[in-house]
């Protein structure tokens, strides 16, 4: 069987009211489902790896093939739980370790 | 070489300078290096200078842009004659077929925009694309509507955009992706805009080029034309005077 290549996405969200982990993940799934349907969503291999409400960041895992689909879905999120929102992909990496390194680098610049 | 990402349609509210400043600053933060803000033709030079200054402060290149919404061919020609040399970028909002055709064949027009949601009022068909390809105009697609619409309206818009992208590709008409946003929260990163373009059939590289290389080349071409020594493409005055 072919090994599934995955990518880890560091997300930063802008929201008026910070959502809980469950609400955030629901919003992401809803966006993928809305744009690509249930079949499309099944190809993404989407999973939430970590969620930091204080920093407004999250890390999700997706399959490499579905990276563009997930990016478009995340960009299409305009509200979470009735509050205006935007989700940005800050970095994409093949391993969580290198993503954490990039995260430190990114946020030390801010 | 590092890409410069461009948003040639940032709808900053000029009457609220603080809002405009915030929008430009956010665009810079999201990674844009080139920004065009449509300004009405009667906008004062000091207002444009202020916008340029704001862009300079946050490290982005400002492009002056004029959006024309003429009601007849004659009006379009008159407006182009009057304002073309004052703006680095001219976009024609095509609300009728007559205007769309005239704008496509006029080499002074840089961008064609079709804002209508009704597919019957989106005039970018093969004839339009053929005229545009022999002229210099590109097709501008704002992603704002893709974000704000939902359900059947978005489906209809996406299918219109898919058809237009296919036609543009066939006739080699450059496609420019812009945000077209007024609201801060609707501003997206360039790569996210490129990913959204996948919904209407733009390939990955093609989409990234549509937010970077294509708009940058368009602006560069116009800046060259607006220089005082410009004669024709590839020809410009190097020196003049008695000793030449």
């Amino acid at each position: 069987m072919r090994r599934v290549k995955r990518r880890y996405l560091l997300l930063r969200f802008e929201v008026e009211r910070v959502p809980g982990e469950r609400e955030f993940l629901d919003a992401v799934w809803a966006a993928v489902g809305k744009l690509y349907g249930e079949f499309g969503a099944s190809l993404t291999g989407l999973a939430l790896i970590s969620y930091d409400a204080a920093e407004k960041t999250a890390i999700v895992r997706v399959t490499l093939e579905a990276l563009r689909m997930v990016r478009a879905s995340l960009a299409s999120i305009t509200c979470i739980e009735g509050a205006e929102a935007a989700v940005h992909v800050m970095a994409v990496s093949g391993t969580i370790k290198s993503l954490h390194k990039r995260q430190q680098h990114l946020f030390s610049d801010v | 070489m590092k890409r410069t990402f461009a948003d040639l349609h940032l709808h900053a509210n000029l009457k609220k300078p603080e809002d405009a400043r915030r929008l430009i600053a956010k665009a810079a933060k999201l990674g844009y290096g080139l920004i065009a803000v449509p300004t009405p033709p009667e906008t004062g030079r000091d207002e444009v200078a202020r916008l340029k200054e704001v862009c300079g402060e946050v490290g982005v290149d400002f492009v002056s842009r004029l959006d024309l919404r003429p009601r007849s061919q004659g009006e379009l020609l008159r407006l182009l004659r009057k304002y073309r040399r004052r703006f680095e970028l001219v976009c024609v909002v095509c609300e009728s077929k007559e205007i769309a055709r005239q704008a496509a064949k006029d080499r002074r027009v840089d961008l064609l925009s079709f804002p209508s949601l009704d597919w019957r009022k989106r005039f970018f068909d093969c004839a339009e694309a053929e005229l545009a390809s022999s002229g210099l105009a590109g097709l501008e697609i704002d992603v704002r509507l893709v974000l704000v619409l939902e359900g059947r309206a978005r489906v209809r818009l996406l299918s219109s955009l898919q058809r237009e992208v296919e036609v543009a590709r066939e006739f080699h008409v450059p496609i420019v992706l812009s945000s077209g946003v007024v609201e801060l929260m609707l501003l997206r990163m360039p790569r996210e805009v490129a990913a959204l373009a996948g919904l209407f059939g733009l390939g990955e590289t093609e989409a990234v080029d549509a937010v970077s290389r294509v708009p940058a080349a368009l602006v560069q071409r116009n800046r060259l034309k607006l220089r005082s020594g410009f004669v024709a493409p590839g020809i410009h005055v190097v020196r003049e005077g008695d000793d030449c």
Side-chain angles (χ1 to χ4, degrees):
Chain A
M1 208 174 100
R2 243 182 77 214
R3 190 171 62 90
V4 179
K5 288 191 181 177
R6 295 192 172 118
R7 286 295 177 267
Y8 295 90
L9 274 60
L10 171 63
L11 311 178
R12 178 175 250 189
F13 45 94
E14 297 171 42
V15 269
E16 289 167 345
R17 197 177 54 240
V18 180
E21 191 177 316
R22 190 75 250 163
E23 287 78 40
F24 175 74
L25 193 59
D26 283 349
V28 176
W29 274 116
V32 178
K34 223 184 228 179
L35 282 187
Y36 298 99
E38 288 177 3
F39 174 70
S42 73
L43 303 174
T44 59
L46 187 70
L48 184 68
I49 302 296
S50 71
Y51 181 82
D52 186 340
E55 288 280 339
K56 291 185 183 173
T57 59
I59 293 176
V60 293
R61 187 188 66 203
V62 299
T63 58
L64 177 61
E65 285 81 15
L67 177 60
R68 202 170 178 222
M69 279 163 67
V70 175
R71 222 191 249 262
S73 307
L74 291 167
S76 75
I77 296 174
T78 51
C79 76
I80 299 176
E81 289 288 290
E84 265 193 273
V87 182
H88 300 296
V89 179
M90 303 303 290
V92 180
S93 178
T95 61
I96 297 184
K97 191 178 168 188
S98 64
L99 193 69
H100 279 307
K101 267 188 200 163
R102 286 177 71 181
Q103 184 176 10
Q104 281 167 1
H105 177 75
L106 271 170
F107 295 159
S108 63
D109 285 353
V110 176
Chain B
M1 210 174 89
K2 205 181 163 197
R3 279 177 197 268
T4 302
F5 290 106
D7 185 355
L8 296 187
H9 198 192
L10 203 61
H11 253 295
N13 188 349
L14 300 178
K15 285 180 188 144
K16 294 179 182 169
E18 204 41 54
D19 286 1
R21 179 185 289 268
R22 232 178 287 147
L23 193 65
I24 291 168
K26 184 159 182 206
K29 201 177 156 196
L30 292 182
Y32 291 99
L34 189 70
I35 281 172
V37 178
T39 46
E42 64 276 6
T43 310
R45 280 180 203 277
D46 52 331
E47 222 167 326
V48 176
R50 209 179 307 136
L51 269 178
K52 214 175 225 177
E53 200 185 297
V54 171
C55 288
E57 280 168 20
V58 293
V60 292
D61 195 354
F62 173 76
V63 181
S64 59
R65 167 180 166 140
L66 174 68
D67 279 6
L68 296 175
R69 284 173 187 269
R71 267 160 288 166
S72 65
Q73 278 187 20
E75 192 185 354
L76 172 64
L77 294 175
R78 188 177 58 77
L79 291 170
L80 283 170
R81 246 192 322 269
K82 194 169 174 189
Y83 297 118
R84 174 64 264 201
R85 290 201 65 83
R86 274 182 50 191
F87 291 88
E88 288 168 315
L89 207 66
V90 172
C91 173
V92 176
V93 182
C94 304
E95 284 166 343
S96 75
K97 199 171 200 168
E98 182 199 1
I99 302 294
R101 296 291 191 256
Q102 181 59 44
K105 65 185 172 198
D106 200 309
R107 293 173 72 88
R108 290 169 295 182
V109 176
D110 303 311
L111 292 170
L112 302 169
S113 169
F114 301 89
S116 177
L117 292 179
D118 183 356
W119 62 271
R120 279 162 295 215
K121 288 183 183 166
R122 299 182 70 93
F123 306 102
F124 195 81
D125 49 16
C126 290
E128 180 80 2
E130 199 172 353
L131 287 173
S133 68
S134 56
L136 290 170
L139 172 67
E140 181 174 60
I141 299 176
D142 284 341
V143 293
R144 182 184 177 274
L145 284 177
V146 178
L147 295 176
V148 296
L149 291 178
E150 272 186 51
R152 215 185 291 174
R154 178 152 69 182
V155 172
R156 277 204 211 106
L157 174 74
L158 288 178
S159 81
S160 293
L161 289 175
Q162 283 160 7
R163 203 175 41 243
E164 286 167 14
V165 163
E166 213 171 292
V167 169
R169 203 182 277 138
E170 195 183 327
F171 288 91
H172 306 288
V173 176
I175 297 171
V176 174
L177 289 172
S178 308
S179 68
V181 301
V182 191
E183 310 87 342
L184 267 179
M185 286 299 246
L186 287 181
L187 205 54
R188 296 289 181 265
M189 284 176 148
R191 298 236 176 228
E192 291 163 1
V193 172
L196 282 169
L199 295 172
F200 39 85
L202 273 183
E204 208 163 344
T205 324
E206 213 179 355
V208 176
D209 281 349
V211 273
S212 55
R213 286 197 184 124
V214 178
L218 210 143
V219 170
Q220 198 187 5
R221 183 190 75 198
N222 283 356
R223 282 183 173 164
L224 270 175
K225 276 188 189 173
L226 291 173
R227 275 190 199 160
S228 57
F230 178 83
V231 180
I235 309 166
H236 64 274
V237 178
V238 179
R239 201 168 62 174
E240 42 185 342
D242 297 336
D243 56 337
C244 289

